[in-house]
Amino acid sequence: MSPHLDPSLLDAAVAAVRDAWPAANPKCGIILGSGWGGAVADFQGKELPYSAIPGLGSTGVTGHAGRLLATSVGGMETFVFQG
């Protein structure tokens, strides 16, 4: 574990996501970089703003969604991190 990672902050982030989606069991995760927001424009799902997840805060870049999206891709439960 990195000496700069605060385990209590990580635990709080996990708890926030689990509180939002207690039954979630994603099998895949996608992290979108700048310019990739359109890749999931048609995805349907539940959203959690980064500001609701301890340690993430809100995005500082105009045009970035700043959200975690719980969705299904090809029948596979997936979490998508959007800038």
Side-chain angles (χ1 to χ4, degrees):
M1 184 176 287
S2 168
H4 303 288
L5 181 63
D6 179 353
S8 63
L9 184 58
L10 182 58
D11 289 343
V14 169
V17 173
R18 286 199 173 139
D19 284 347
W21 303 306
N25 188 23
K27 302 296 182 204
C28 182
I30 300 171
I31 301 172
L32 300 177
S34 293
W36 283 94
V40 295
D42 293 332
F43 287 16
Q44 300 296 316
K46 299 176 186 173
E47 301 176 14
L48 184 64
Y50 283 172
S51 60
I53 303 172
L56 286 185
S58 57
T59 183
V61 179
T62 301
H64 284 199
R67 69 179 183 162
L68 175 59
L69 175 67
T71 189
S72 179
V73 178
M76 183 183 309
E77 188 175 352
T78 304
F79 275 2
V80 180
F81 291 84
Q82 288 188 276

